[in-house]
Amino acid sequence: MKAYGLSDVGKVRPLNEDAYYLPKERERFAAVADGMGGHKAGEVASALAIEVFTQALREAGERVEEASLVQAVEKANAAIYQRGQGDRSLRGMGTTLTALWFGPDYVYLSHVGDSRAYLLRNRALMQLSNDHSLVNELVEKGEITPREARNHPQRNFITRALGTGRRVTPDVIKLDFQPGDAWLLCTDGLTNYLRGVELARIMNQSLSWEDKLRWMVDEALRRGGGDNITALVVPYEEERP
């Protein structure tokens, strides 16, 4: 399984509190996390989420099902929460977590927070994840429009995150895959600046995946770079483990 990733601190924040994971040999999973919670705490939360979550998937081996992913998220949540309770400087820290696990002919998406997962299929980009955010809830209730949500003063307020409480419930979705598919995982440092149609246009270019990621990140920087920016792509491969 091949994946490509790129992360940038942006133009405003002193630290990069995003973290991501690309699969090693024989591994079938990839993940991105966006930490929050004060000086260095967000960095700790996102790194710990990736560490514990990916270790749990390694221990699950070949038999990964929905329950395996839920348990991996629960372990990561518990580790972050306990670390925060034990260190006053880290108390209240949390992180998003959006991850993919590939089976022989299907994909599991596991998601908490407002980092996103997209699927590029037949040149069209579809958002697979549902933002766990206040503005998304307002959009779903019809109280504001998607356009208004993009500039809403509380657009960064998320309603579900790892580490902020004793328990968390992830969204877990089972999907198929087809030749030509490509999955994009990214933090809101990217999607705050580039809409889905713009991401699709870049992903459909005749360039390497590394160049496409660089283009996305550079464009987010050009438009302000007010947050850490992280994106990774997992393209379809004919030969899978």
Side-chain angles (χ1 to χ4, degrees), residues 15 20 35 58 84 86 94 98 111 123-124 157 163 167 172 216 228:
L15 294 172
Y20 69 95
R58 289 188 201 96
T98 302
H111 168 69
R123 301 185 64 83
F157 184 85
R167 299 189 181 281
V172 179
M216 292 178 197
N228 309 141

Side-chain angles (χ1 to χ4, degrees), residues 161-181:
L162 273 70
T164 57
R166 292 183 181 276
R167 299 189 181 281
V168 70
T169 301
D171 292 344
V172 179
I173 306 168
K174 189 175 184 180
L175 307 156
D176 69 337
F177 59 72
Q178 299 177 9
D181 284 350

Side-chain angles (χ1 to χ4, degrees), residues 84-196:
Q85 293 301 300
D87 186 336
R88 182 173 297 179
S89 69
L90 302 177
R91 193 160 298 170
M93 68 178 177
T95 183
T96 70
L97 181 66
T98 302
L100 296 170
W101 186 89
F102 289 84
D105 56 2
Y106 57 87
V107 182
Y108 274 117
L109 165 65
S110 178
H111 168 69
V112 176
D114 65 351
S115 297
R116 290 183 179 175
Y118 292 90
L119 169 62
L120 183 73
R121 176 173 288 175
N122 298 325
R123 301 185 64 83
L125 191 68
M126 300 171 282
Q127 183 177 335
L128 302 176
S129 57
N130 184 49
D131 292 352
H132 300 144
S133 66
L134 176 61
V135 294
N136 191 52
E137 290 183 359
L138 294 175
V139 169
E140 290 180 342
K141 292 177 182 177
E143 297 181 16
I144 63 173
T145 66
R147 180 183 292 272
E148 291 170 332
R150 292 183 65 83
N151 298 305
H152 195 280
Q154 292 179 297
R155 63 185 179 277
N156 295 323
F157 184 85
I158 63 175
T159 55
R160 202 184 307 181
L162 273 70
T164 57
R166 292 183 181 276
R167 299 189 181 281
V168 70
T169 301
D171 292 344
V172 179
I173 306 168
K174 189 175 184 180
L175 307 156
D176 69 337
F177 59 72
Q178 299 177 9
D181 284 350
W183 291 265
L184 171 67
L185 303 182
C186 57
T187 61
D188 65 350
L190 184 69
T191 54
N192 282 343
Y193 293 103
L194 279 80
R195 294 174 297 159

Side-chain angles (χ1 to χ4, degrees), residues 60-81:
E62 299 293 316
R63 297 183 179 180
V64 171
E65 299 291 344
E66 179 176 342
S68 310
L69 290 162
V70 171
Q71 290 169 7
V73 170
E74 289 174 342
K75 287 181 179 179
N77 182 74
I80 298 165
Y81 182 77

Side-chain angles (χ1 to χ4, degrees), residues 22 76 118 160-161 181 209 214 217 221:
L22 299 179
Y118 292 90
R160 202 184 307 181
D181 284 350
W209 287 112
R214 183 75 265 172
V217 172
L221 289 169

